Amino acid sequence: MTEQDTAPSAAAADPALRDRLVDSIRELLPHVLKREVAEVTADTELMDALGLSSTTGLELVLELEERLELEISVEELGRDDFGTVGSLADYVAGNLLTEA
């Protein structure tokens, strides 16, 4: 595998964008989960701690796209990317689609 084959790292992503994504995910979680969630941080586990399912995970990504007016490539999106709020923000920051 060459360097060109690897996905963009979280370090390469804009830190301000990542922070904005974390904040937006935190704000969207109560709407997507249809319940209050307390004390969500970048380290909060989405599936284990909050009970996010594959269906609600997809809804979260779609809501994030709509809220931030971004298009996110979901081709490589996997279960590991939904590990924590921060890991999802890292994935999104590194997989934004731009208009050609």
Side-chain angles (χ1 to χ4, degrees):
M1 181 180 283
T2 67
E3 278 188 49
Q4 292 177 345
D5 294 330
T6 59
S9 69
D14 177 2
L17 173 60
R18 184 186 187 273
D19 289 346
R20 192 169 126 213
L21 289 165
V22 167
D23 289 343
S24 294
I25 292 167
R26 290 174 55 217
E27 292 169 8
L28 287 168
L29 280 168
H31 171 73
V32 170
L33 295 173
K34 296 175 180 35
R35 64 180 170 82
E36 289 299 314
V37 291
E39 303 294 325
V40 175
T41 69
D43 295 325
T44 300
E45 295 178 346
L46 290 169
M47 293 184 173
D48 294 339
L50 298 179
L52 192 78
S53 68
S54 57
T55 303
T56 52
L58 180 57
E59 183 180 347
L60 178 59
V61 170
L62 294 173
E63 292 279 345
L64 197 57
E65 282 184 321
E66 186 174 314
R67 172 174 282 205
L68 299 176
E69 298 178 355
L70 301 170
E71 190 172 350
I72 302 164
S73 171
V74 294
E75 289 183 27
E76 302 293 322
L77 183 61
R79 182 176 174 86
D80 290 345
D81 298 309
F82 287 98
T84 65
V85 171
S87 66
L88 182 57
D90 290 339
Y91 175 85
V92 171
N95 290 278
L96 294 176
L97 297 175
T98 57
E99 293 184 26

